[in-house]
Amino acid sequence: MDREDFLDHLGDYGKMVVHGHSISARPDEQLNRIGVDIGAFRTGALACLALEGGQRWFIVAEVDTVVEAVAA
């Protein structure tokens, strides 16, 4: 399976897949995967996925400022 097939695939992988290396403007949350790469090397913004119990949310930071912390 190549990158485009992986990104376009809507089927169940058996587990939620969290990945990088496929840049998008915002974290990319799908039914079967979550992409967290927002191009830090190019934009200066870095995203992460926070997990606690059954909750998850994204934190997005730019240079030394937290820009967004939202429930996923």
Side-chain angles (χ1 to χ4, degrees):
M1 177 179 291
D2 67 15
R3 181 186 312 246
E4 291 306 312
D5 290 339
F6 169 73
L7 295 174
D8 292 340
H9 182 70
L10 300 176
D12 186 2
Y13 287 119
K15 302 265 185 194
M16 176 62 76
V17 177
V18 179
H19 66 91
H21 301 290
S22 297
I23 298 170
S24 55
R26 299 178 43 86
D28 181 17
E29 187 172 13
Q30 303 297 320
L31 294 175
N32 59 354
R33 64 176 183 79
I34 301 172
V36 295
D37 192 338
I38 59 173
F41 76 96
R42 180 174 45 201
T43 66
L46 180 67
C48 74
L49 174 64
L51 304 168
E52 186 173 328
Q55 297 180 324
R56 62 182 185 223
W57 63 95
F58 299 106
I59 299 171
V60 179
E62 269 183 29
V63 187
D64 291 320
T65 305
V66 173
V67 176
E68 178 180 11
V70 295

